[in-house]
Amino acid sequence: MNTPRLLPYGDRALLVEVEEVSEVVLVADAVRSGPLADLVDDVVPGARSVLLLARPGVDPAEIRERAETGIVPDDLRVDPSKSPADRQGPSTVEIPVTYDGPDLAEVARMTGLSEEEVVAAHTGTPWRVAFGGFAPGFAYLVGGDPRLEVPRRDEPRTQVPTGAVGLAGEFSGVYPRESPGGWQLIGRTEVAMWDLDRDPPALLDAGATVRFLRA
């Protein structure tokens, strides 16, 4: 792992910039369980950064000072050949999926796998929530089988149904509501990703482990 960049962010936060999504997961894990945990009120992962919000009364300079001594201790470092999913998240969510998506055959063609092998790869490896974005409840999942890395569609769909399960690059994800989208759709789930009557509304928190199951 390369040395993260530490940047001030307002008067209550520190921004940690990294180069890879896998490092986002590693830094967030280290902050939640390491020597910074008592100084940080919230950890907000992004695509290539982790925002550390200081607890009330804590000077972000103190967070930076501790972070500069090694934000990721040696005992938390992982073999770069391993995926973020090799580290267990703070919670595990199981999502049953019906694998009948309109792009399943195309994903099989692009990966050189059979449709059954695509499903086996998607369900056979746990994923980790790296960060959220795009829409409330949408989680970018990383750490899956690398054979499933496929490009986005050349032409995005104008409407993707709620619960559609897709792939794009190194990510997998579930659309929390009907919206435009360009991910390769391999299945669908009835599990709600976003529910205002639930506390918290988002099913998938940053850092959580996700296991897809065949419905």
Side-chain angles (χ1 to χ4, degrees), residues 25-46:
V25 176
L26 182 59
V27 168
D29 282 352
V31 171
R32 294 188 186 101
S33 61
L36 298 180
D38 62 328
L39 302 179
V40 175
D41 194 38
D42 198 8
V43 179
V44 185

Side-chain angles (χ1 to χ4, degrees), residues 47-84:
R48 296 292 186 275
S49 65
V50 182
L51 182 67
L52 308 182
L53 181 65
R55 292 184 184 276
V58 173
D59 188 339
E62 185 177 355
I63 298 176
R64 183 186 183 108
E65 182 179 353
R66 286 198 197 179
E68 285 176 340
T69 64
I71 196 168
V72 183
D74 289 339
D75 61 343
L76 285 177
R77 293 183 184 273
V78 296
D79 185 331
S81 66
K82 295 183 178 180
S83 79

